[in-house]
Amino acid sequence: MLLKIVANISSNNSYWALIVSLCVIPIISIITPKPSIDKIEFIGDFKQGEIYECFFTDNSFEYVIGNSDVCKCTVDTCKLVFTKPAKISRPVYSYRLDFNSSYSESSSIDSIIIHYKDNKILSFTAKSCFKRTGFSWGIDRIDYDKHGRATIYFKDVAESHRYIEFEPEQRSFSLIHIFIIIGSVFLLFFLIDYLKIKSDEIIVFIIAFIGFLSFFSSIVVNNIFIIFLCLLGLYTLIKRRNFFELSFMQIGFMTFFVIKLLWTLVPSLSHKTGFVFEKYMALIFIPMAFSFIEMTPSIVRSSIKAIFSATLVLLYVNFFSYINYLSFPRLVDFNSSYISPSLFHSPTFKHSSYIIYFYILGLLSAIWLYRGNIIKLSTLSIMFIALICFSILSSAFIGLIFLLFLFFYFVFISVKPRDLSRKIILAYSFVIFVIAIIIPFTNWISYIDPLRDKIWEVARGGIKENVLFGLGSCGERLLYTPINNAHNQLLNNMLEHGVFVGSYIYIFQLIMLIKSYRNKNSLLFMFLLITIIFMTTEVIMDRSRGLLFFVSTICFLEKIGIYRENDFKLNELEIL
């Protein structure tokens, strides 16, 4: 019943929903007064003068020292009150607490009371506040007792200046989140109408929509969806009562899983086999799940529409949040720790390069919909421009390379005659693949990213010392304790498995590229090339989220390329 209501609501002309989403809601959110911190009280077992200063800041993030109004200390407790300085005229969203460690090696705070400009007073335990801290300096650790008291221990360094920056206060963000949810719902209603989602497609649309969003959510939510996908595949297998035949793609992923397990036996490895098995078992279960699930034309169309819609909604969330900060003098970087991560994605997922990589699947979906005359060229152009803006504002410049690649791709396919276009695309793809392999073994990256060049230099040194067998699965962390990996998939794999076996994933992708080219599976072909470009700067197989996305997308695109029904023209880019 609920699904029918949604379909009926969206069946009417819903351009009014688009106007509300893009114009009305953002304007209301900007002009609505935001909660502003006016005064802060610190209560705890600290000496007078131990809390040195409290700085206040608005969205310019230029900290201004607060006025110390009250300091009442007894034998057991001390109360210190700071008020917002008069020179800050805009709403205060965050504060920084400075300590004078010359008094003692630690400080204890019981509670923090925040007075807002709208006369609202909220009291927090120190634990609830210190759990939302941003950048800190000179702090060794913070311990908490059962009553929420926080004990801050200082590092034994020369500087006597210690401080903790707190994340922006939550009342303001809670208000913005409400506006974001309302605007996203209106935008989704418009997209359901614009894409002509029928009542019999809405279930698949919702499942695929949530599934794509899960990659941007917490890893727990992402794993829940993957488990659901596997259970769905198992249900389909039991219902159909026939076994599946392994495809080349499935055999390829399973082989990589076996390699990961075997290389846990390398002596220099510091991780256990169980850790690797748990992390990489998606290489087995996801391909099997997709092999069981039957992809009908209706399911594929609904899924691609859902991916396209989810990407637009996520971009809307990004830009909505950014506009709220754009109303202040200084622009704010998407990666800034001062912005609540939940305004964008999961608190643990703020890597803008991965986000733009995931968004590219939405752009590929838009290309498919455009070639199928489901969306207009203007809609495709809007998404393309939005992704350019996101890449620039979030400093994810790898996204500009993705978009430039796709732009030239369509320039090439417009070349006539057809045979010439095929040769150009083949040569173009070959050049990209060769450059992606050569770059990590040169110093070219030093001109644009000196830090990554140093990381690669360490990797190349490790490979020379362990040419045949490498350091074992996840063994690259023996060299990159603070950095985590080599920031290049090929170098990282060679560090783990040696030069020959470490090249496996690239050989596998090259064969998949050739197969997708011959089968005219344009979506898979373009996604593989973009992934190879992305692997030049990141190790997507090392991150659980990146691994799940990569394997799921490859399986999905390979699956839909199998069909050749007349009403199911998946490969609209006939040039392949």
Side-chain angles (χ1 to χ4, degrees):
M1 178 63 71
L2 179 61
L3 299 178
K4 290 184 178 180
I5 293 175
V6 172
N8 291 333
I9 291 176
S10 61
S11 63
N12 301 318
N13 191 304
S14 56
Y15 277 94
W16 60 270
L18 181 64
I19 295 174
V20 171
S21 176
L22 298 182
C23 300
V24 178
I25 300 296
I27 291 174
I28 293 176
S29 70
I30 292 174
I31 64 177
T32 300
K34 307 297 191 304
S36 175
I37 298 174
D38 194 50
K39 185 186 300 184
I40 302 177
E41 299 181 20
F42 297 97
I43 302 173
D45 183 17
F46 50 84
K47 299 181 179 67
Q48 185 173 350
E50 194 170 303
I51 294 183
Y52 187 56
E53 292 166 338
C54 182
F55 290 81
F56 293 78
T57 183
D58 53 21
N59 281 76
S60 66
F61 302 114
E62 294 179 354
Y63 284 94
V64 180
I65 188 170
N67 303 316
S68 180
D69 281 357
V70 180
C71 184
K72 297 180 180 179
C73 294
T74 63
V75 176
D76 299 324
T77 186
C78 190
K79 176 181 178 182
L80 188 58
V81 180
F82 293 94
T83 59
K84 182 187 79 170
K87 65 183 301 183
I88 298 183
S89 58
R90 295 182 295 272
V92 170
Y93 291 92
S94 185
Y95 55 96
R96 191 182 84 189
L97 189 59
D98 287 40
F99 300 91
N100 189 342
S101 59
S102 60
Y103 281 82
S104 63
E105 296 180 351
S106 64
S107 291
S108 296
I109 298 178
D110 294 329
S111 60
I112 298 175
I113 301 175
I114 299 179
H115 298 251
Y116 294 91
K117 193 173 181 179
D118 57 2
N119 296 322
K120 190 175 184 63
I121 301 175
L122 296 179
S123 179
F124 305 92
T125 62
K127 180 179 180 179
S128 62
C129 285
F130 279 91
K131 285 293 187 180
R132 294 186 286 105
T133 56
F135 184 78
S136 62
W137 177 257
I139 306 299
D140 184 31
R141 70 182 192 277
I142 303 177
D143 294 338
Y144 307 99
D145 65 11
K146 62 180 181 180
H147 302 293
R149 169 185 283 194
T151 302
I152 304 100
Y153 294 91
F154 308 114
K155 290 182 179 178
D156 185 18
V157 292
E159 294 85 353
S160 60
H161 197 55
R162 315 285 194 271
Y163 64 85
I164 297 176
E165 294 178 2
F166 289 82
E167 293 284 353
E169 66 89 29
Q170 297 301 301
R171 285 189 67 207
S172 174
F173 291 118
S174 298
L175 183 62
I176 295 175
H177 292 168
I178 293 174
F179 286 122
I180 286 177
I181 293 173
I182 295 174
S184 299
V185 170
F186 277 107
L187 177 60
L188 186 57
F189 275 136
F190 166 75
L191 290 172
I192 291 175
D193 176 65
Y194 177 72
L195 297 173
K196 297 179 174 58
I197 305 295
K198 301 176 182 178
S199 57
D200 58 341
E201 298 177 331
I202 198 70
I203 295 178
V204 175
F205 178 86
I206 292 175
I207 293 174
F209 186 89
I210 295 174
F212 188 70
L213 288 183
S214 72
F215 290 109
F216 300 85
S217 183
S218 67
I219 193 64
V220 175
V221 175
N222 195 195
N223 285 331
I224 290 174
F225 177 75
I226 296 299
I227 292 173
F228 166 79
L229 196 65
C230 294
L231 292 176
L232 182 62
L234 182 61
Y235 168 77
T236 306
L237 174 66
I238 296 174
K239 185 177 180 181
R240 291 165 56 186
R241 294 183 180 180
N242 60 341
F243 293 96
F244 66 100
E245 296 181 1
L246 291 175
S247 66
F248 170 79
M249 179 269 300
Q250 293 160 347
I251 294 174
F253 281 131
M254 292 178 182
T255 303
F256 190 62
F257 175 76
V258 173
I259 291 173
K260 283 291 182 181
L261 285 182
L262 288 177
W263 256 253
T264 60
L265 303 177
V266 175
S268 59
L269 180 65
S270 60
H271 293 86
K272 296 180 180 180
T273 304
F275 170 80
V276 174
F277 179 85
E278 180 183 0
K279 182 175 181 178
Y280 291 98
M281 62 182 180
L283 293 168
I284 297 289
F285 293 115
I286 293 178
M288 289 180 63
F290 273 97
S291 68
F292 299 150
I293 298 174
E294 183 179 2
M295 289 285 185
T296 65
S298 176
I299 290 176
V300 172
R301 278 193 293 268
S302 300
S303 300
I304 292 180
K305 288 177 181 179
I307 294 171
F308 167 75
S309 301
T311 303
L312 283 181
V313 169
L314 287 169
L315 284 170
Y316 173 77
V317 172
N318 294 146
F319 290 115
F320 188 106
S321 306
Y322 196 79
I323 286 172
N324 274 273
Y325 290 95
L326 201 59
S327 59
F328 296 92
R330 176 174 294 190
L331 302 185
V332 180
D333 185 5
F334 273 113
N335 286 332
S336 172
S337 60
Y338 299 112
I339 302 178
S340 171
S342 55
L343 286 177
F344 304 99
H345 307 291
S346 164
T348 59
F349 187 39
K350 297 185 289 183
H351 202 310
S352 58
S353 296
Y354 275 83
I355 294 173
I356 191 66
Y357 171 61
F358 290 4
Y359 281 170
I360 288 298
L361 181 58
L363 181 60
L364 292 178
S365 300
I367 293 171
W368 187 88
L369 294 173
Y370 167 68
R371 302 293 292 188
N373 297 317
I374 298 175
I375 65 174
K376 300 178 181 178
L377 179 61
S378 58
T379 306
L380 176 61
S381 302
I382 289 172
M383 175 176 275
F384 194 87
I385 294 172
L387 290 173
I388 292 176
C389 294
F390 179 86
S391 299
I392 295 173
L393 294 175
S394 63
S395 301
F397 298 113
I398 187 70
L400 298 178
I401 298 177
F402 295 157
L403 298 170
L404 185 65
F405 158 73
L406 290 176
F407 174 77
F408 280 109
Y409 182 86
F410 285 104
V411 170
F412 291 154
I413 67 172
S414 64
V415 176
K416 302 297 181 181
R418 184 178 296 260
D419 290 340
L420 178 60
S421 299
R422 287 176 59 87
K423 293 178 181 179
I424 291 177
I425 290 176
L426 188 61
Y428 178 55
S429 305
F430 177 76
V431 169
I432 290 176
F433 187 83
V434 171
I435 291 176
I437 293 177
I438 293 176
I439 282 181
F441 297 98
T442 67
N443 294 322
W444 297 349
I445 194 70
S446 62
Y447 297 103
I448 57 176
D449 193 344
L451 177 60
R452 186 168 264 105
D453 181 56
K454 293 179 180 179
I455 297 172
W456 289 1
E457 187 176 353
V458 173
R460 290 192 293 266
I463 292 171
K464 289 180 181 178
E465 295 177 1
N466 303 273
V467 175
L468 293 179
F469 300 106
L471 296 173
S473 297
C474 301
E476 80 285 353
R477 297 182 184 181
L478 299 174
L479 299 179
Y480 297 106
T481 303
I483 303 175
N484 199 31
N485 57 49
H487 284 264
N488 178 279
Q489 188 71 59
L490 182 59
L491 291 178
N492 205 82
N493 284 5
M494 287 183 174
L495 265 178
E496 290 183 284
H497 311 126
V499 172
F500 301 105
V501 179
S503 305
Y504 169 80
I505 195 66
Y506 272 68
I507 297 173
F508 170 68
Q509 288 186 96
L510 177 61
I511 297 175
M512 288 292 292
L513 264 176
I514 297 172
K515 289 176 66 67
S516 61
Y517 181 84
R518 289 179 174 176
N519 296 334
K520 299 182 179 181
N521 191 338
S522 302
L523 293 183
L524 179 58
F525 182 81
M526 288 187 286
F527 180 77
L528 283 169
L529 278 177
I530 288 172
T531 301
I532 290 170
I533 295 172
F534 188 55
M535 284 181 171
T536 306
T537 60
E538 299 294 343
V539 185
I540 63 174
M541 306 290 280
D542 187 53
R543 289 175 175 260
S544 296
R545 194 188 308 273
L547 175 67
L548 294 175
F549 179 80
F550 172 70
V551 177
S552 300
T553 304
I554 293 292
C555 293
F556 174 69
L557 297 180
E558 194 263 350
K559 182 78 174 181
I560 65 177
I562 296 174
Y563 292 86
R564 290 293 183 272
E565 285 92 344
N566 293 330
D567 61 338
F568 192 37
K569 298 178 181 179
L570 289 172
N571 303 295
E572 293 291 344
L573 302 180
E574 293 296 338
I575 194 62
L576 291 186

